[in-house]
């Protein structure tokens, strides 16, 4: 199980030893499901059309010529789908437990396809041992920091891989980080695929364990971005030069004893913009709510703390398929 260990917080390794290959704790799952149902109700109340992926039994073992695994979940559409204009791109993913995750979204994607969407699946990695650095240092944060600074992570450059959530869109410009699950070949595949209409910019942060950009650098409006104060951006001057406003969100308020099996507490900034003037934000995160209100952005508050435990905030738990507006350039 090289990938989960290298890519999760040490505090939770005993949890993974117990639950790895099985379902998440059932009582907690029930509460997480109730959270997300409430989130969907609130979204609908705000005028959003909400659709759900298929329910699939992920405990079933599968075997390809290159590896064997069980599945994880299809809880975070943001991780696997990137919508660029009228095109839906299925990310190839990098974890073996997420190889077949696309199956949960196929009924929806086929429906969008029949209604005119462009549908792309990025090349699927084979995920043999060659995609992973088997000697990747899992114990020392210093080693990880050092390697991250050199651009080295647990995934190798054997073949392209990426999760959609390492990309974040701003009109014609799309920003991406090399992470534990997104390699340079994956980024290059996207760059060629989306050129010349869209420009891919690789950016990086001081982060020993990057996986998904949206609790690090979350764009909340035209030229307006939340930047995680614990993870400074190495290219921030470029954004300042382009006239962007960089906002440092307040520290998360989630208590230490609340389980966060797959993320940091910074899910607090993993908000979903419903439009430029409305943000969906955690009910218990009062300080970031105040920050938004000062910016003139109305807060739509929902409590998804139990759903947070599965590794995502509002941005992760959703994928906006359709928005109003025109394609613009915000970064010159
Ligand atoms: O703590 O940066 C972000 C979201 C993972 N889906 C983190 C994790």
């Amino acid at each position: 199980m090289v990938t989960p260990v290298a890519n999760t917080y040490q505090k939770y390794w005993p949890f993974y030893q117990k639950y790895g290959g099985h379902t998440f704790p059932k009582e907690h799952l029930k509460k997480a499901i109730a959270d997300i149902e409430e989130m969907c109700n609130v979204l609908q109340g705000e005028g959003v059309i909400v659709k759900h992926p298929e329910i699939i039994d992920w405990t079933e073992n599968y075997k390809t010529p290159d590896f064997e695994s069980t599945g994880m979940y299809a809880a975070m559409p943001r991780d696997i789908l990137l919508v660029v204009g009228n095109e839906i791109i299925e990310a190839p993913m990098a974890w073996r437990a997420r190889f077949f995750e696309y199956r949960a979204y196929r009924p929806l994607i086929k429906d969008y396809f029949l209604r005119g969407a462009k549908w792309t699946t990025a090349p699927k990695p084979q995920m043999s041992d060659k995609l992973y650095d088997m000697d990747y240092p899992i114990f020392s944060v210093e080693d990880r920091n050092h390697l991250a600074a050199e651009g080295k992570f647990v995934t190798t450059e054997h073949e392209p891989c990426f999760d959609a959530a390492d990309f974040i869109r701003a009109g014609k410009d799309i920003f991406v980080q090399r992470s534990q699950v997104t390699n340079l070949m994956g980024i290059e595949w996207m760059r060629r695929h989306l050129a010349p209409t869209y420009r891919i910019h690789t950016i990086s942060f001081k982060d020993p364990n990057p996986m998904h950009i949206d609790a690090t650098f979350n764009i909340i409006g035209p030229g307006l971005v939340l930047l995680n104060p614990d993870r400074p951006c190495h290219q921030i001057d470029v954004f300042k030069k382009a006239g962007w406003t960089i906002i440092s969100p307040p520290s998360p308020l989630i208590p230490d004893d609340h389980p966060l099996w797959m993320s940091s507490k910074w899910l607090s900034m993993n908000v979903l913009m419903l439009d430029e003037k409305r943000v969906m934000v955690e009910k218990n995160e009062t300080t970031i709510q105040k920050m938004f209100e000062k910016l003139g952005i109305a807060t739509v508050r929902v409590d998804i703390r139990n759903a947070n435990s599965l590794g995502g905030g509002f941005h992760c738990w959703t994928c906006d398929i359709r928005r109003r507006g025109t394609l613009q350039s915000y970064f010159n």
Side-chain angles (χ1 to χ4, degrees):
M1 288 240 301
V2 60
T3 33
V5 169
N7 216 169
T8 51
Y9 293 83
Q10 192 164 0
K11 185 177 160 190
Y12 290 108
W13 291 352
F15 171 87
Y16 280 103
Q17 261 148 8
K18 184 163 173 208
Y19 289 98
H22 306 283
T23 58
F24 285 93
K26 284 214 166 96
E27 282 313 304
H28 195 97
L29 265 187
K30 268 189 210 156
K31 290 189 239 167
I33 290 167
D35 282 1
I36 294 307
E37 277 171 2
E38 177 58 11
M39 178 191 86
C40 293
N41 290 337
V42 175
L43 281 172
Q44 279 162 344
E46 295 292 325
V48 178
I49 299 172
V50 178
K51 305 211 168 180
H52 301 278
E54 292 284 282
I55 307 275
I56 289 179
D57 176 8
W58 297 104
T59 58
E60 208 175 300
N61 199 70
Y62 48 79
K63 194 171 184 301
T64 79
D66 300 287
F67 69 89
E68 202 173 333
S69 183
T70 51
M72 188 168 76
Y73 59 34
M76 313 287 165
R78 187 75 58 187
D79 294 359
I80 185 163
L81 302 178
L82 191 76
V83 178
V84 181
N86 71 344
E87 178 175 6
I88 304 177
I89 300 171
E90 280 176 30
M93 314 305 279
W95 286 8
R96 290 167 174 174
R98 307 191 78 173
F99 188 87
F100 286 113
E101 203 164 304
Y102 65 90
R103 296 175 71 248
Y105 298 94
R106 281 290 168 88
L108 281 179
I109 299 175
K110 277 187 278 185
D111 183 48
Y112 287 120
F113 177 72
L114 291 172
R115 291 192 283 141
K118 235 171 120 175
W119 174 14
T120 303
T121 65
K124 210 65 188 153
Q126 288 172 234
M127 298 190 188
S128 75
D129 288 358
K130 288 184 181 151
L131 182 58
Y132 311 100
D133 174 0
M134 295 296 180
D135 298 320
Y136 183 81
I138 54 177
F139 291 108
S140 151
V141 172
E142 286 72 39
D143 281 354
R144 283 194 193 190
N145 257 324
H146 189 70
L147 285 174
E150 287 174 16
K152 293 200 183 103
F153 300 94
V154 67
T155 45
T156 66
E157 292 294 335
H158 180 66
E159 58 189 338
C161 66
F162 62 88
D163 280 9
D166 273 318
F167 293 82
I168 197 142
R169 302 155 301 165
K172 291 189 175 179
D173 295 281
I174 298 177
F175 303 94
V176 59
Q177 65 173 357
R178 169 56 162 122
S179 78
Q180 300 288 24
V181 293
T182 293
N183 66 11
L184 298 178
M185 264 177 105
I187 295 172
E188 178 59 14
W189 185 89
M190 281 288 264
R191 194 189 64 76
R192 289 188 207 172
H193 180 73
L194 291 170
T197 310
Y198 297 89
R199 289 172 301 208
I200 300 278
H201 309 266
T202 305
I203 57 178
S204 58
F205 305 86
K206 187 170 184 290
D207 183 354
N209 195 28
M211 176 173 168
H212 304 161
I213 201 166
D214 52 356
T216 301
F217 186 87
N218 196 4
I219 297 171
I220 57 165
L224 194 58
V225 64
L226 299 181
L227 174 63
N228 185 322
D230 287 352
R231 303 173 187 166
C233 176
H234 297 128
Q235 296 79 17
I236 203 63
D237 287 342
V238 184
F239 291 93
K240 286 183 184 160
K241 248 188 227 153
W244 282 39
T245 305
I246 294 112
I247 299 172
S248 186
S251 295
L253 300 178
I254 191 158
D256 284 337
D257 61 358
H258 187 81
L260 287 176
W261 297 311
M262 312 185 80
S263 77
S264 70
K265 290 185 178 188
W266 285 104
L267 295 181
S268 56
M269 62 174 278
N270 187 260
V271 295
L272 178 70
M273 299 307 296
L274 303 184
D275 55 36
E276 279 180 41
K277 293 291 165 206
R278 278 182 306 167
V279 62
M280 183 166 269
V281 61
E282 171 60 43
K283 201 175 202 165
N284 298 289
E285 293 285 349
T286 47
T287 49
I288 201 168
Q289 289 165 15
K290 285 201 187 95
M291 184 207 81
F292 280 115
E293 278 152 18
K294 268 195 206 141
L295 290 168
I297 297 170
T299 54
V300 177
R301 303 166 190 191
V302 189
D303 180 352
I304 62 160
R305 279 284 193 246
N306 292 303
N308 284 160
S309 304
L310 299 182
F314 298 105
H315 198 256
C316 302
W317 275 99
T318 56
C319 174
D320 41 306
I321 294 286
R322 232 179 238 175
R323 282 182 185 266
R324 291 193 193 93
T326 51
L327 183 60
Q328 288 183 41
S329 189
Y330 304 99
F331 186 74
N332 283 310

